[in-house]
Structures are given as structure tokens and as C-alpha cells.
Amino acid sequence: MSNAVWDPSQPILEIENLSISFFTRLREIPAVMDFSCKVMAGEAMGLVGESGCGKSTVALGVMRDLGKNGQIVAGSIKFKGRDLVKMAEEELRHLRGSEIAMIYQEPMASLNPAMKIGAQLIEVPMIHQGMARVQAWALARQIVADVRLPDPDRILNAYPHQLSGGQQQRIVIAMALMSKPALLILDEPTTALDVTVEAGIVDLVKDLGQKYGTSMLFISHNLGLIMDVCDRLCVMYSGEAVETGAVAQVFDDMRHPYTQALFRSIPLPGADKNARPLISIPGNFPLPHERPKGCNFGPRCDYFQAGRCDAGDVAMADVPEGDRHASRCVKWDEIDWHAPPKARVVKEKAPIGKVVLQMDDLKKYYSVSGGAFGGGHAKVVKANETLSFNAHEGETLAIVGESGCGKSTFAKVLMGLETATSGTITLFDEQVQSTPIQQRSVDTVSSVQMVFQNPFDTLNPSMTVGRQIIRALEVFHIGTSDAERTDRMLELLDLVKLPRAFADRMPRQLSGGQKQRVGIARAFAGGAKVVVADEPVSALDVSVQAAVTDLLMDIQRQNKTTLLFISHDLSIVRYLSDRVLVMYLGHVVEMGSTDQVFQPPYHPYTEALLSAVPVADTKVIRKRIVLEGDIPSAMNPPSGCPFQTRCRWKSHVAGGLCDSTMPPVQTLAGGHQIKCHLGADVLAKMDPVITFAAE
Amino acid sequence: MLAFVIRRLGVMLVTALVLTFVVFFLTNLPPNLEKLARSEGSVRMTDAAVASWLEEHGHTGSVFYRYAEWLGVAPGWVNTDEKGVTRGLCIGQRDDPALAPKFCGIFQGNWGFSTVFKKTVLYSLGKSMAATGWLMLAVMVVMVPIALVIGVLAGMREGSRTDRVLSTFSIATSATPEYVSGVILVALLASPATGLSPVLASWGWIGGKTLFMGTATSAMDHITFWNFALPVATIALYGVGYIARMTRASMTEVMTQQYIRTARLKGVSFRQVVLRHALRNAMIAPFTVIMLQFPYLLNGVVITETLFNYKGFGWMLVTAAGNNDIEMLLGASVVAVIFVLVTQLISDIGYVFLNPRIRLG
Ligand SMILES: Nc1ncnc2c1ncn2[C@@H]1O[C@H](COP(=O)(O)OP(=O)(O)OP(=O)(O)O)[C@@H](O)[C@H]1O
Ligand code: SF4
Ligand code: SF4
Ligand SMILES: [Mg+2]
């Protein structure tokens, strides 16, 4: 490409002291400060950090696409020795898409809805290599096959909305690879996808990286993913790089308190809640214009020392024994990195009581009409098929599954937002399956409550926090006077560990975690006995997730609440639940105690799900089972076993039974239920997915 | 697609019936009928005479039944007065009552007789619509491309100088009603006393007294640039501003989409980003606006045709309304309603066509 000769032993990308600011009417927002990193040829560099720490800004800075108000205020970005910061627009255009390509978070939004996939792909070589249309089309066909999409010709002639999310993301990757770039920037490429689909994409990215020798800058907030994909990583906090080094080194011998705190706040497999309780990072992330003097992490750091940490800017210091390992902490070589975390109060688990909720053969079918212009036949979507289980007082029952498996439908039926098609739901001796919420008694409504996934949507933006909780109390007929309700409201704030002063705040003045606490306070306003938590922490940052989960557990202990915890995150499920129920396409495929579900024998789907979850622990050896294809549509489920299109154990079942017959529920030792045709002997021989390397 | 079109047509039919009924009801309110009786009969009729005149001419009875008669789905009224003369809705002045058809409404092509123009309604409507058709065509040909270009240029770089200049222009023109812009244009370009014309005439650059003609009456027979430009400009100016603002809004929104960033980061040049990636997506919203602009143009047409004395649909409407010409008004309303509904249908179909997400959904 360029005539300047570039020595492959030199870094492909070298960012030095990069500072990027956004200029708004009010002030300058320094989003990235003094950021340096180096990516060598063929290397994959990870960038981790919480939301808002400036990861995307770095990536867009490299692409020099910061929008109207963003500007690089200092530093240099050298790509193959040439400084991108000083490069002219036209020269940049030749690099973009041909030498540096970028993939970002939402695949659907990244593809032009009004252009066919093929047209969007062939554009790249036609612009950069001046390739003829026919050759470009052939190349596109080949690359689409390379990203493991079936039937490339059909895909090239399709519009983006005709593909599933996973397929779209593969197309975006294919587009980035069309001209074999030297550097690929991936900004949270899998966050919007299901875990089993994510596992496929991550595998693909790794393989293609090796095949084409592409260097990568891989952005993620998920430490496990970084470990899967990257060789080196850079941890960011509030606009700065705080630690950088080889993945194994940073994971095992971290030298920055923030990195340590981050690892202590995420659940790891193999460690349960008693052996290794999660520790959340106290306090909140500082906004760019509210950063403290000195170390940005100071106010939340366990090792903070006044006079030193807040004296002035802290510089990046090399950690000598490491391989290009550096940390931005004045005390990095004084801290005892092997000291166990401070002793914590071991909390007694509440005893599990009598059955409070019983579901028998619950079914929920929706009928949906055909295409956009009416016509077509009404189809039946079987969102829930014969769901039977019970939940006890004080118990945490986790419901696990990927998108479309019917988790949320089940929650809606329980809450009375929908009525069941057939079957019964018994809630404290009362059958509620066909009573919509408007007809339920106040008692029933207040005893079953829900905590939603997105704390941002569920609060009324124009009402103070206190007022919203009081509203809930009024709805549940709690308290007789305003004074009484106000008292109760303040107690609820105490319960969710929010300062009482927050009663007068507006929702927009709260952080995500704080909003979620208000949501929890509202759910418990009527003394709820059963709480359905639908992905309550997945929209939150890792450092806050731990605090919110702990809070839920604490309240459960105090009130003996039954918690139905809906999640796709198996690490957190393993950490906090007593029993687990795994769903796939509306069916419960496995149910048992947490230990039973997380250890063999597995249902084949559970096995794949477990192996798909990225684990941020270098000592864990995980068997890789990558599922082919996407989750089938609930509108058009496969015949026989719902999982048969992706199952790798199918061949162990004789007579093609999986294709034709719905498997029965087998009950194994200890009441462990598995819905599968596999014989007991095959199940017994399954290997665990997760093992630990010998220390 | 076919099912969709059929369903839409069904809805249209119902809408058309409802709307025409409303117009029928309003034009046939008792005061209007009384006026009609006095103008057709004699101004000095007594109230009793008016009542019997209305009775004889079939203007009494249920408004629903009269509406059905007018449509041609109920048999027309027949009356024989004391002198033995048989009158009826379907009986012409010199026709033999025995041979007259039973039904004669607009379905049978009997749109009535215009009391002002002294011709059948169909004939007057046809003539005036042809005139207006030319005017509208010219307006569209001028307005749509200009508006789209302005909108796209302004929207592709939000906040740039081009954007500010063009946006100011669009806001100014769409905030100026036709009766103001028309008068300004005439004063500026078509008045022998003010504006450019006297200057040009004194320099000897133009032969006549004015640059453009201040009336478009001659365009009824023969359209020229000089007699047609001003009415077209008057209507188009307003529409240009409006459509350009819609296009700009749509364009600026599209330009902030992720897929535009994808295209940019693929190395597509700015020009190609706009032409290949943004344009089609940005056209979806304005297309509807443009189609809905057609009926809206009727508004401007009424004012402009009156201002420039161009005897088209608008002018006719004003004249008919001013003279209580009920059948003419009814006929005009039928045409207007059908026109609005058809443009809406086209707009819906076109929207679906431009937007693959709906087309293939
Ligand atoms: N266009 C902009 N104008 C003003 N401020 C901005 C703009 N874009 C980003 N910021 C600010 O810059 C900071 C860094 O944002 P950035 O998007 O890089 O974070 P991130 O690490 O990618 O977060 P996430 O994990 O949520 O994607 C944030 O405080 C953000 O509010
Ligand atoms: S510099 Fe001080 S406050 Fe900052 S991380 Fe190190 S010990 Fe903590
Ligand atoms: S029944 Fe067959 S297809 Fe279904 S999970 Fe078991 S082995 Fe796999
Ligand atoms: Mg980001």
C-alpha cells in the first residue's frame, strides 16, 4: 500500500500519550488522558474497563472519527510508523477499511437497511483495490463462507433485516475482512448476542486473526472474553490506562488496586458464595469533569494514602519482572498482592421453608399474524411448553436460557400481565393462572413483585425517588397516613442501602446501580413474598453488579423472600442460586440443585451453555463446545427434541428418535431432571466442562 | 401486496363516502337550501312558497335518503305539481317523464348542473381540473427536485454554513403564505410601476411594460414561461421550504446512523456516502411528505388561481362557493376527496417500496 517501508518487527499501532476531549457548550470533557499502548504485528490487545471509561473513544480516535465535538488534544497514534493524528483526510480514507477496519457493538445498526448484503461487501475491494464487480462478488462469496455462514449466495442477496443477530455480526466481520486489514478494531462485538452465539463469533475472530495474521484491538468489559481472545490487555479507569501487560500476568499478578478490585467483584466458577464472596467496589465511577486530584481511583481505593495518592498526577510505572507490564499506582511495589481480602462477615443462609409457588403443566401460546400486509396464516408461538416446578420460601430459583427461550413470558404470566393458555399456577393456595393483574387482589399483587432488567426505563423521570416509592405504598394500601408512608419509604431506602437524602432526588441524578436499588425498594414496598428478578444486573457495570446482587441476597435473608432469578449469566447464577432451571425454546430441559446442574451429567444444551461462558481465571480449563447455527425461531420450532438442530450428542441416540419424538423427562438421582433421550449410561459418562489446572 | 392494496381501497371507499356525506350534509343545510330556492325561484318568495319550492324540487325528506339519491343508489324523486307538470331528479326539462331512468346520481354520471357556469358540473369540472393539472404538474416539476437538493445539501453536514444558509431560506419560504409571496412576486417582477420591470423597460431590455405577466388568464389557452412562471413560483416556493425542511431533518438523522459511520470507516468517500448510503434511507420520510403535499397544494392553488385569475379548480371552487352553487361544490368535493385518498395510497405503496424492511418483512 504505502511506499514507506515498514519493519514488521516494529509495532503496527503505537499510541503515545493520547488525550482526547469532547467540547460541549458547558465545558471540555477530557474523555481520554495520557493513554499509551502498543500493538505488535499479529498480536491481540484487549481494552477493558467500565462503561464510560473511554474505551470506545480510544478506538474512534484511532479511526479519527470522533464526531464534530471530539478532538485529539495531545499525543500521537502511529500506524505502521505513520502518525494518524497528522494525516490528511484523503490519506486517512485510503487507510480506513483497507488497512484498519472497525467492528462495533450493534450489528443491526452497522448495516445499511436499504442495501443488499452483497452490495455492502463488494464496495470495500472496489474502492480500495479498484477491483471489478465480478471479482469483488466472488471474493465476497468466499469471505462469507469463511465467516462460516451457510448458503453464501442467498445471504449476499438478502437485506440485513432478513438475517439473525448472529448472522449480521458475521457479515459485519466479513465486511471488515474484505480487504485483509492489518489492524482490526472490535468494540464490544458480542455484547448484544447470546452466549452460545457469542462463543461462535469469538472462535471465528480468533481463527481469522490467525489465518490472516491480523492484529486486533479488542474492546470489552468482560474479562473472560479478553482472556479468550487476547494476548495482552490494558485496563482503563476513568480515561486513563491503569495497568497493562500480558493477559496471564495481569490476571494472576496484577499490580494495580483497581484491577484487583475488578477481579474480586466478578463471580468465578469453582468458587461458591461462601468460599469467595463477591466484593463490590465502593462508591461510584467519577464523571470526567469530577475527577479527583491525583489518582482517579483514590476515593474508591482500599490502599489510599492521603498525601501521596492525592498529591499530583500519577505516572505509569514499569513493573520490572514483567513483560512490558506497567501500572499507574504510586504504591504498586509496597502492597502485599497476595494478602487475602479483608475478612468478611459470613452470612447465615436463611432456611428454606414450605412451598409458596407451584406451577403445573403451564402453557402459554401466542398467536401472531403473518406478514406486513396481513394475509398469511396466523401462527402459534409456543412461548412456554408444559412448565412444572415449585419454589420454596427463602429459596433462590434461577431460570437460565438464551433469548427467545420463554423466560420473560413465564415471568409475565406469573405477574398476571398475561394469562396462561393452560395449566395452573398456585400461589399460596390460590390459583392465579387466569387472573389478569387488574383482577388480582391487592394482597396477591403486592406479594408477587418484579425487578426489571433496565433500571433506566422503569422509573418515572419526572418524579422524585421518594415520591415513587410512596406511590407504590399507596397502591399496595400500606400505611394509613402520609407520615406513616414517608417513614416506611425511608426504611425502604435503608433496606436498599441508599442514603435517606436520596428521597428528594430525581432519577436522572442517580447512577445505574442506584436506580436499580430504587427499583428493588419499590418491589419490596408491599412486603413481597415472591420476587421475580428479570436480569436485574445485566445492564449494570461489573463493579456495581456485585453490590446489587448482594443486596438482593441480604433482603432475601431478612424477609425469607422467594427469589426467581432470571438470567443468562451462568457465573452469577452459580454464585447465588439454590436451584436452577434451564430453558430452551419454551421447554424446561434441565432442572436440579445448583450442584446437580453445574456438574455432569448435563443436558446437552446445558453442557454447551456452560462451555460458552467466558471465564476470567487462568487456572480454569474449559472444554470448548461450539454450537452450530443459531437458536431456531420459536415460531418455527424443529420437530422432535427442540435442541436437535444443534445437539452434538444426537448420534448417541438410536433410531433417529431425536428428530421425531419429544424426549421424556428423566429423573436421575436426587430429583435431578433432564429432558433428553440419552440413556443413563451415556449421561453417566459425560466429562465435566470446567476443570482446574493442577496448581 | 395485492391484499394490502385491496384492503386500502376498501378503506378509501368508506372514507370517501363519509367525507362526501359530510360535505353533502353541510351544503344542504336549511339556510343554503333557502338561499337556493330564492335564487332559483324568486327573491321575494314567502316562507311558505320557499317550503313548497323545496318540496317540489326534492330538497325535503331525510338527508340520508337525499344523499343516496345524489349518489345514485336510491331512485330519484319524482313530483307532479297541481298543473300536471311532472318534475324529477332524473327528468330533464324537455324529456318525457315516462322514459326517464329511475336512478341518476353521480354513479350514473349525473353530477348535476352548475347554476353559476350554466354548464353541466362534469364539463366545468373537467375543464377546470385540466387547467389546474397543468399548474400542479409544473409546480411539482419545479418544486420536488429543488426541495430535495436543498434538503440533502443542508442535511448532509448539519450545522455547516451551507446548512445554515439553506435552512434559513427554507424556513423563510415555508413561513410565507402564498398570498404574501404572490403579491411580492407580482410587485417585484410583474408590475409596470414597481420592482424590476420599470428599470428593465427603461434600459430597453424588455419589449413590453413588465417582465412577467401579472395574470395567468392567457395560460388557459397557451402556456408560456412568461404567463406561467409567477403562479408556479408562488405555489412552489412554499412547498420547497416545507419539503426541504422535511428532507433535511430526515437526512441529518440518517447521517448520524451507525451504518453511515460503517460506510465512512470502510473508506467510502463523502460523496458516495451521501449518494449510495444515505440518500435512499433519507428519502423514505420525505416521500410521504411529498405525496401528502399534493392535496395540500390545493390550498395554495385556490389562493394563487384567484390571485392570478387562472380559471382552474381553485378559482372555480371560490366562485362556486361564493354563489351557493351546491351541485358544483358537491362535485368538486368528490373530486378533491378522491384525489387526496389516491395520493395517500400511492404514498403508502411507495413507502413500502422504498423500505425493504416493510416490503419483505
Ligand atoms: N460525543 C460526545 N460528547 C461528549 N462527551 C462524550 C461524547 N462521546 C463520549 N463522551 C464521554 O466520554 C467518556 C468516554 O466515553 P466512551 O464512549 O469512550 O466510553 P466506553 O468506555 O466506550 O463506555 P461503554 O463501555 O459504555 O461503551 C464518557 O464520559 C462519555 O460521556
Ligand atoms: S495511587 Fe493510591 S489511590 Fe491510586 S490506586 Fe494506587 S494506592 Fe490506590
Ligand atoms: S434428545 Fe437428542 S437432540 Fe435432544 S438433547 Fe437429547 S440427545 Fe440432543
Ligand atoms: Mg463503548
Side-chain angles (χ1 to χ4, degrees):
Chain A
M1 263 280 346
S2 69
N3 32 15
V5 198
W6 168 73
D7 171 7
S9 68
Q10 293 299 306
I12 283 258
L13 180 72
E14 187 171 14
I15 302 178
E16 274 173 346
N17 311 101
L18 180 69
S19 296
I20 299 175
S21 290
F22 290 100
F23 293 87
T24 64
R25 228 173 275 238
L26 284 179
R27 56 171 76 85
E28 172 183 351
I29 299 173
V32 172
M33 294 165 314
D34 189 26
F35 178 90
S36 303
C37 95
K38 234 183 249 176
V39 184
M40 306 298 286
E43 199 173 66
M45 174 71 150
L47 215 51
V48 262
E50 291 173 80
S51 179
C53 71
K55 306 180 296 285
S56 302
T57 308
V58 169
L60 291 173
V62 173
M63 294 308 275
R64 285 264 319 263
D65 192 70
L66 289 163
K68 275 197 295 282
N69 62 344
Q71 208 178 313
I72 296 176
V73 286
S76 67
I77 305 171
K78 290 211 183 73
F79 175 75
K80 292 191 175 175
R82 297 194 289 159
D83 192 351
L84 298 177
V85 176
K86 301 207 183 76
M87 207 172 264
E89 196 57 34
E90 189 56 22
E91 221 177 329
L92 268 174
R93 194 168 72 72
H94 289 297
L95 283 183
R96 290 175 180 162
S98 83
E99 296 249 6
I100 311 178
M102 179 159 175
I103 294 171
Y104 29 72
Q105 196 166 336
E106 277 170 33
M108 185 68 207
S110 314
L111 294 171
N112 189 332
M115 261 169 104
K116 287 191 176 162
I117 301 287
Q120 302 192 40
L121 287 178
I122 60 173
E123 218 178 16
V124 180
M126 284 169 74
I127 295 170
H128 294 295
Q129 278 103 47
M131 203 182 270
R133 204 184 166 76
V134 193
Q135 274 122 309
W137 194 270
L139 178 68
R141 240 189 128 265
Q142 185 216 323
I143 303 247
V144 168
D146 265 3
V147 294
R148 301 181 205 145
L149 280 171
D151 200 356
D153 290 311
R154 185 185 66 83
I155 296 222
L156 288 181
N157 280 308
Y159 283 98
H161 70 274
Q162 295 169 307
L163 309 181
S164 71
Q167 288 175 326
Q168 285 173 3
Q169 192 61 300
R170 279 167 200 262
I171 290 297
V172 174
I173 293 174
M175 192 148 77
L177 293 174
M178 280 299 281
S179 61
K180 318 243 155 68
L183 176 67
L184 186 58
I185 301 175
L186 303 105
D187 189 355
E188 314 238 8
T190 57
T191 308
L193 304 175
D194 275 317
V195 258
T196 56
V197 180
E198 170 182 85
I201 300 265
V202 166
D203 248 35
L204 174 75
V205 166
K206 268 198 310 194
D207 285 1
L208 293 175
Q210 264 150 29
K211 180 169 168 189
Y212 296 121
T214 316
S215 306
M216 283 190 265
L217 190 61
F218 188 92
I219 299 177
S220 179
H221 62 267
N222 186 330
L223 286 165
L225 265 186
I226 295 277
M227 197 182 98
D228 275 355
V229 177
C230 303
D231 311 306
R232 301 180 59 78
L233 93 162
C234 174
V235 182
M236 286 187 75
Y237 184 78
S238 193
E240 291 177 329
V242 292
E243 183 164 6
T244 171
V247 167
Q249 206 152 39
V250 175
F251 275 46
D252 295 338
D253 298 308
M254 65 230 10
R255 286 293 174 266
H256 195 279
Y258 175 65
T259 319
Q260 187 185 47
L262 210 52
F263 274 95
R264 286 183 176 170
S265 70
I266 55 172
L268 292 177
D272 76 5
K273 52 191 151 189
N274 299 319
R276 186 181 171 282
L278 300 188
I279 308 167
S280 56
I281 306 178
N284 278 311
F285 195 79
L287 291 174
H289 57 273
E290 292 170 351
R291 290 188 182 121
K293 190 169 184 302
C295 175
N296 282 338
F297 188 54
R300 304 171 77 187
C301 180
D302 284 344
Y303 307 100
F304 180 79
Q305 190 181 351
R308 278 179 77 194
C309 298
D310 54 6
D313 286 350
V314 184
M316 208 69 174
D318 281 333
V319 177
E321 64 266 36
D323 161 30
R324 288 182 282 148
H325 188 177
S327 164
R328 194 187 288 274
C329 171
V330 290
K331 295 174 68 180
W332 70 266
D333 62 349
E334 301 161 27
I335 296 172
D336 175 9
W337 294 100
H338 297 287
K342 280 194 218 101
R344 274 149 307 199
V345 224
V346 175
K347 288 166 183 158
E348 208 42 47
K349 171 103 192 65
I352 290 178
K354 59 180 195 314
V355 172
V356 292
L357 174 71
Q358 169 91 41
M359 295 222 176
D360 289 300
D361 288 336
L362 183 83
K363 284 192 184 135
K364 175 68 194 175
Y365 294 174
Y366 288 105
S367 69
V368 289
S369 62
F373 304 118
H377 298 287
K379 283 188 177 154
V380 172
V381 178
K382 300 180 176 172
N384 284 157
E385 274 278 41
T386 54
L387 211 59
S388 300
F389 68 88
N390 55 32
H392 301 256
E393 186 184 64
E395 182 183 46
T396 307
L397 177 65
I399 300 169
V400 176
E402 295 175 279
S403 67
C405 75
K407 298 172 294 200
S408 300
T409 306
F410 146 80
K412 280 186 205 150
V413 175
L414 177 59
M415 298 296 299
L417 301 172
E418 301 270 0
T419 53
T421 309
S422 72
T424 58
I425 304 178
T426 316
L427 187 69
F428 312 108
D429 318 320
E430 188 193 351
Q431 300 217 333
V432 295
Q433 68 276 4
S434 37
T435 326
I437 193 156
Q438 302 86 349
Q439 288 163 27
R440 291 189 176 182
S441 66
V442 174
D443 261 0
T444 316
V445 173
S446 57
S447 63
V448 188
Q449 280 295 307
M450 189 148 175
V451 178
F452 294 92
Q453 172 166 13
N454 208 334
F456 314 97
D457 306 337
T458 47
L459 296 181
N460 180 343
S462 55
M463 216 193 251
T464 63
V465 166
R467 194 65 221 129
Q468 307 206 26
I469 299 177
I470 291 178
R471 272 293 303 149
L473 290 170
E474 282 166 6
V475 170
F476 300 143
H477 305 313
I478 306 261
T480 45
S481 65
D482 279 352
E484 208 172 305
R485 290 199 193 101
T486 309
D487 283 349
R488 179 79 191 121
M489 180 268 290
L490 293 174
E491 281 168 37
L492 281 166
L493 285 180
D494 295 345
L495 180 72
V496 296
K497 298 180 184 138
L498 283 177
R500 289 189 166 202
F502 274 40
D504 299 325
R505 290 224 192 162
M506 288 306 212
R508 73 186 128 76
Q509 294 168 301
L510 307 186
S511 71
Q514 290 165 341
K515 280 188 201 155
Q516 195 56 297
R517 282 166 199 259
V518 177
I520 295 173
R522 264 199 323 193
F524 282 91
K529 288 280 171 265
V530 177
V531 169
V532 182
D534 189 355
E535 306 260 7
V537 294
S538 61
L540 305 177
D541 267 318
V542 267
S543 72
V544 193
Q545 282 185 2
V548 174
T549 341
D550 266 358
L551 173 71
L552 273 174
M553 308 295 291
D554 280 349
I555 301 180
Q556 177 182 40
R557 265 189 293 268
Q558 283 173 30
N559 300 10
K560 299 214 187 79
T561 320
T562 306
L563 194 59
L564 298 183
F565 190 88
I566 301 181
S567 179
H568 67 271
D569 182 348
L570 287 171
S571 314
I572 202 105
V573 163
R574 177 170 200 164
Y575 175 74
L576 57 73
S577 55
D578 301 307
R579 277 196 304 146
V580 181
L581 190 152
V582 183
M583 287 182 77
Y584 188 76
L585 277 186
H587 294 263
V588 176
V589 294
E590 181 168 1
M591 181 160 69
S593 71
T594 307
D595 285 342
Q596 285 166 346
V597 171
F598 281 82
Q599 263 144 41
Y602 305 108
H603 183 278
Y605 173 63
T606 315
E607 183 193 31
L609 203 56
L610 276 174
S611 93
V613 181
V615 176
D617 188 342
T618 51
K619 289 180 283 301
V620 165
I621 302 169
R622 189 159 47 111
K623 201 159 69 184
R624 295 293 279 159
I625 303 163
V626 172
L627 292 181
E628 292 300 317
D630 289 326
I631 303 168
S633 143
M635 202 126 44
N636 190 10
S639 62
C641 172
F643 189 54
Q644 55 112 331
T645 51
R646 302 165 83 195
C647 181
R648 67 180 193 125
W649 289 90
K650 216 163 105 175
S651 55
H652 294 257
V653 177
L657 218 51
C658 299
D659 298 330
S660 59
T661 323
M662 177 67 70
V665 176
Q666 308 183 32
T667 307
L668 310 175
H672 181 193
Q673 296 180 352
I674 290 184
K675 195 175 200 170
C676 178
H677 285 304
L678 286 176
D681 51 328
V682 185
L683 287 175
K685 277 188 288 193
M686 278 188 175
D687 296 324
V689 172
I690 290 173
T691 45
F692 292 89
E695 293 270 324
Chain B
M1 191 78 190
L2 194 67
F4 167 73
V5 174
I6 290 173
R7 216 151 30 98
R8 280 305 307 244
L9 285 173
V11 173
M12 262 174 66
L13 194 69
V14 174
T15 323
L17 287 177
V18 171
L19 287 178
T20 48
F21 176 74
V22 169
V23 178
F24 186 88
F25 180 78
L26 292 177
T27 46
N28 280 282
L29 283 175
N32 288 337
L33 292 176
E34 197 183 314
K35 245 199 272 173
L36 180 75
R38 290 188 199 279
S39 65
E40 292 295 294
S42 108
V43 190
R44 278 180 212 136
M45 275 201 282
T46 61
D47 287 354
V50 166
S52 81
W53 188 92
L54 289 178
E55 173 90 50
E56 268 165 35
H57 288 81
H59 291 300
T60 50
S62 140
V63 65
F64 296 104
Y65 188 78
R66 277 182 285 143
Y67 175 67
E69 276 178 357
W70 173 75
L71 276 181
V73 295
W77 54 270
V78 180
N79 268 334
T80 310
D81 65 6
E82 56 271 28
K83 288 179 211 136
V85 183
T86 306
R87 270 191 262 264
L89 183 61
C90 312
I91 305 169
Q93 287 199 315
R94 277 172 291 276
D95 289 352
D96 179 358
L99 297 176
K102 265 177 80 96
F103 297 91
C104 54
I106 53 169
F107 286 154
Q108 285 77 24
N110 189 341
W111 291 50
F113 190 80
S114 163
T115 52
V116 182
F117 302 110
K118 306 293 176 210
K119 297 258 167 50
T120 65
V121 168
L122 268 186
Y123 174 82
S124 318
L125 266 182
K127 201 159 167 276
S128 62
M129 272 164 50
T132 298
W134 286 113
L135 183 62
M136 299 265 261
L137 182 72
V139 168
M140 281 293 162
V141 167
V142 172
M143 175 177 79
V144 173
I146 295 184
L148 292 184
V149 169
I150 291 182
V152 168
L153 287 180
M156 70 188 191
R157 282 205 181 92
E158 194 185 0
S160 65
R161 186 199 301 257
T162 327
D163 179 23
R164 287 203 302 271
V165 171
L166 292 177
S167 294
T168 313
F169 171 78
S170 339
I171 291 172
T173 62
S174 64
T176 315
E178 282 93 347
Y179 52 84
V180 176
S181 53
V183 168
I184 293 176
L185 283 176
V186 169
L188 215 56
L189 300 170
S191 151
T194 57
L196 277 183
S197 307
V199 182
L200 293 179
S202 70
W203 290 350
W205 286 18
I206 47 174
K209 279 212 186 91
T210 60
L211 180 58
F212 287 95
M213 290 160 77
T215 134
T217 317
S218 60
M220 292 295 292
D221 307 316
H222 180 65
I223 294 174
T224 66
F225 179 69
W226 302 109
N227 64 23
F228 221 42
L230 289 192
V232 169
T234 306
I235 304 176
L237 214 52
Y238 176 78
V240 162
Y242 188 70
I243 299 177
R245 278 165 58 196
M246 290 297 153
T247 314
R248 176 187 176 273
S250 168
M251 188 72 189
T252 48
E253 206 221 286
V254 166
M255 287 306 282
T256 61
Q257 297 292 310
Q258 287 265 12
Y259 56 82
I260 295 298
R261 168 173 277 173
T262 309
R264 213 165 48 225
L265 297 191
K266 268 200 278 192
V268 180
S269 64
F270 184 74
R271 195 189 153 82
Q272 287 300 317
V273 167
V274 171
L275 292 179
R276 275 174 66 90
H277 291 265
L279 211 52
R280 179 162 166 192
N281 288 297
M283 279 307 113
I284 296 175
F287 178 78
T288 322
V289 174
I290 292 170
M291 289 316 294
L292 296 181
Q293 187 72 13
F294 267 102
Y296 211 72
L297 279 183
L298 283 178
N299 243 341
V301 162
V302 171
I303 294 161
T304 312
E305 287 184 352
T306 313
L307 191 67
F308 289 93
N309 203 17
Y310 182 72
K311 299 197 173 56
F313 189 78
W315 177 84
M316 183 210 71
L317 207 60
V318 172
T319 317
N323 294 293
N324 198 35
D325 190 347
I326 294 182
E327 294 194 320
M328 189 76 218
L329 278 177
L330 279 172
S333 71
V334 172
V335 169
V337 165
I338 292 178
F339 180 73
V340 171
L341 293 177
V342 167
T343 49
Q344 242 159 44
L345 179 72
I346 298 177
S347 132
D348 286 355
I349 295 174
Y351 183 79
V352 167
F353 188 74
L354 278 171
N355 195 342
R357 260 174 296 189
I358 297 185
R359 174 153 40 114
L360 304 157

